[in-house]
C-alpha cells in the first residue's frame, strides 16, 4: 500500500481507516481512496496533543467565511457521529460546535443560552415528546 508517497505494510496501523459499514463496503480492497480525516476543523488542544505524540501537525487558523463553513461541516460530522453511535459524548461535541458557531456570529455562550431559555418559555422544550401529526379534520 502507498500512503502519501510512502510504502507501508497493508496491516500497519498507518493503513487503518475507520469507516461506516456503507463506506467500507463501497471502498473494497481495490479502491485507493484514503478516508482518514484530515483537512478538518479540530478542537483547540488537538495540535498540542499531536505534538506531544511526537508528530508535527500542519495547522491553519481559519476566520470569517472559511471558519463558518468549517464549523457548519463539523456540526454535520458530529451529528452523523451521534446518529451512528447514539453516545451522549457526541452530543457534547455538537454543543461545543454550536457554541463556536454562536461565538463566530457574535453571541456569547450566555447569550445563546438566554435565547434557549426564552424559546423554552414561549414555546416549551422537547422533553414531553409531543409529535404533531396535523389537525383533526
Amino acid at each position: 500500500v502507498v500512503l502519501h508517497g510512502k510504502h507501508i505494510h497493508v496491516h500497519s496501523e498507518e493503513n487503518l481507516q475507520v469507516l461506516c459499514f456503507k463506506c467500507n463496503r463501497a471502498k473494497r480492497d481495490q479502491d485507493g481512496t484514503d478516508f482518514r480525516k484530515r483537512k478538518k476543523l479540530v478542537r483547540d488542544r488537538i495540535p498540542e496533543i499531536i505534538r506531544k505524540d511526537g508528530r508535527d501537525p500542519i495547522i491553519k487558523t481559519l476566520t470569517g467565511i472559511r471558519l463558518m463553513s468549517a464549523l457548519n461541516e463539523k456540526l454535520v460530522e458530529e451529528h452523523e457521529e451521534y446518529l451512528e453511535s447514539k453516545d451522549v459524548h457526541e452530543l457534547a461535541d455538537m454543543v461545543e460546535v454550536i457554541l463556536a458557531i454562536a461565538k463566530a456570529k457574535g453571541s456569547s455562550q450566555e447569550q445563546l443560552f438566554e435565547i434557549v431559555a426564552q424559546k423554552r418559555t414561549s414555546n416549551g422544550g422537547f422533553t414531553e415528546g409531543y409529535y404533531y401529526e396535523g389537525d383533526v379534520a
Side-chain angles (χ1 to χ4, degrees), residues 48-65:
E48 170 191 341
I49 292 167
I50 292 171
R51 287 185 192 101
K52 284 183 179 178
D53 192 37
R55 300 179 312 176
D56 190 18
I58 300 169
I59 303 297
K60 186 188 305 185
T61 302
L62 303 180
T63 59
I65 292 172

Side-chain angles (χ1 to χ4, degrees), residues 7-137:
H7 287 279
I8 59 173
H9 190 273
V10 69
H11 297 297
S12 166
E13 284 188 18
E14 290 178 277
N15 191 40
L16 293 178
Q17 299 182 60
V18 178
L19 304 175
C20 70
F21 178 77
K22 179 178 159 188
C23 291
N24 189 49
R25 294 281 298 186
K27 181 176 177 1
R28 314 278 302 186
D29 63 348
Q30 302 302 311
D31 184 346
T33 305
D34 185 0
F35 288 93
R36 281 172 283 261
K37 295 181 178 180
R38 293 182 180 87
K39 294 191 176 187
K40 67 173 192 169
L41 194 65
V42 295
R43 285 179 173 266
D44 299 341
R45 292 198 53 230
I46 295 302
E48 170 191 341
I49 292 167
I50 292 171
R51 287 185 192 101
K52 284 183 179 178
D53 192 37
R55 300 179 312 176
D56 190 18
I58 300 169
I59 303 297
K60 186 188 305 185
T61 302
L62 303 180
T63 59
I65 292 172
R66 294 184 74 193
L67 175 59
M68 281 305 303
S69 177
L71 285 165
N72 289 331
E73 287 176 23
K74 191 68 175 180
L75 185 57
V76 170
E77 174 190 332
E78 297 299 347
H79 177 251
E80 288 173 352
E81 289 177 7
Y82 168 72
L83 291 176
E84 187 77 25
S85 70
K86 307 294 191 274
D87 187 331
V88 72
H89 290 88
E90 297 302 335
L91 291 177
D93 290 342
M94 288 175 62
V95 169
E96 200 64 47
V97 175
I98 290 166
L99 292 173
I101 291 171
K103 181 179 180 187
K105 291 183 162 285
S107 291
S108 68
Q109 178 175 322
E110 293 76 18
Q111 289 168 319
L112 178 63
F113 284 122
E114 178 59 32
I115 294 168
V116 169
Q118 290 170 359
K119 292 189 85 166
R120 186 178 296 128
T121 298
S122 65
N123 297 333
F126 293 95
T127 58
E128 297 298 325
Y130 296 146
Y131 188 81
Y132 179 64
E133 294 184 346
D135 296 335
V136 177

